[in-house]
Amino acid sequence: FSCSLPEKVLKDSLKGIRFTLRNVAGVELTAPVSFYIDHPDNSRQGMTNELVALDGKLSSGRHQLVAVCEGDTLRTSFVAFGLNDTKPATPSAEWFYASANSFGHQPVTLQMGSSEKDIHLVYHLMAGDQVMERGTLQFSDSIAIRQLTYKEEYGDGVLFCCGWVKDGELHRWSTTISRPLPEKKLKMNWSTFRDRLTPGQQEEWTLQVSHPDGKPAQAHL
């Protein structure tokens, strides 16, 4: 008996939880699930192999999930947080997060933080073998936020790395953000026609295959 809940999750993106129950042969079974988050008064019902929607938003911090299915009990804790949080969701010597590993329509948000005082962070932003930016940040018991938007000089993408030393211990983190890739998924639209002036006329179906921008695609089906 397990669930899809990660250890750290954006609270705005947590729309539901998927539970899975398997027998000794590894086959997934469908069964009722009873669960709650933090308090039994928040008890909910659902089924395995389905996305069980959650009511309301969670606050930033550590939460406890308890679920029961077919006599099995699952207990797990997870941390919910937001991109605009000013402090780590839980007391932590280091807090790092990147909202994406590739550039898109929205800026990529980087979080670097700590629950400790007087942090002196050093960072580098590199594209290929070029250092695009370097600098320092000062913060105490808080989160420093950087938002990156793709630029042509970034080429295939960037590497962001940072770190600091506190009480003789090194805290470091790095993440790679690749250039935006073109949308290659094809769109398929059906259209139908039947000549109603001719008795017994069969319906004609036409499939149009196009690129996301609406241009016809050279494709075979």
Side-chain angles (χ1 to χ4, degrees):
F1 181 39
S2 61
C3 70
S4 61
L5 197 61
E7 182 179 353
K8 183 187 292 186
V9 59
L10 276 173
K11 56 186 180 182
D12 292 337
S13 65
L14 185 59
K15 305 302 182 182
I17 304 175
R18 185 180 297 275
F19 295 95
T20 302
L21 180 68
R22 293 184 173 88
N23 60 16
V24 293
V27 178
E28 294 186 0
L29 306 176
T30 301
V33 178
S34 176
F35 72 97
Y36 65 86
I37 296 177
D38 295 333
H39 197 278
D41 291 343
N42 302 324
S43 182
R44 294 284 309 282
Q45 307 295 322
M47 299 293 293
T48 58
N49 304 326
E50 296 179 0
L51 186 65
V52 183
L54 298 178
D55 291 336
K57 292 184 178 180
L58 297 173
S59 59
S60 295
R62 183 169 296 278
H63 299 272
Q64 180 80 15
L65 169 71
V66 179
V68 178
C69 179
E70 296 290 319
D72 289 335
T73 301
L74 171 68
R75 298 177 184 272
T76 184
S77 64
F78 64 96
V79 176
F81 68 100
L83 290 181
N84 295 322
D85 289 352
T86 58
K87 291 186 177 183
T90 57
S92 176
E94 58 182 32
W95 176 278
F96 301 116
Y97 179 77
S99 62
N101 55 15
S102 63
F103 290 102
H105 298 295
Q106 300 294 330
V108 177
T109 300
L110 305 179
Q111 289 185 339
M112 304 150 284
S114 174
S115 299
E116 297 182 348
K117 303 289 186 178
D118 301 325
I119 301 299
H120 177 81
L121 178 145
V122 178
Y123 71 88
H124 286 75
L125 180 67
M126 294 173 286
D129 57 356
Q130 300 292 321
V131 178
M132 310 302 295
E133 182 183 344
R134 60 164 57 93
T136 62
L137 297 172
Q138 305 283 343
F139 56 88
S140 293
D141 188 22
S142 61
I143 291 178
I145 297 178
R146 285 292 309 272
Q147 289 189 326
L148 298 177
T149 303
Y150 181 76
K151 300 178 182 179
E152 288 298 328
E153 54 263 35
Y154 289 168
D156 292 333
V158 296
L159 169 66
F160 182 89
C161 53
C162 64
W164 68 82
V165 176
K166 183 67 176 180
D167 297 331
E169 183 177 357
L170 173 64
H171 302 270
R172 59 183 178 181
W173 177 65
S174 64
T175 184
T176 301
I177 310 172
S178 60
R179 70 180 302 169
L181 297 177
E183 177 61 63
K184 296 183 178 181
K185 186 176 181 180
L186 298 179
K187 299 174 62 177
M188 294 188 290
N189 297 308
W190 286 100
S191 62
T192 64
F193 173 77
R194 176 181 291 169
D195 187 356
R196 300 187 181 277
L197 298 179
T198 304
Q201 179 71 20
Q202 293 185 346
E203 193 170 12
E204 297 180 0
W205 289 74
T206 303
L207 178 65
Q208 181 183 18
V209 184
S210 61
H211 293 290
D213 59 4
K215 296 182 180 179
Q218 294 183 352
H220 296 276
L221 178 66

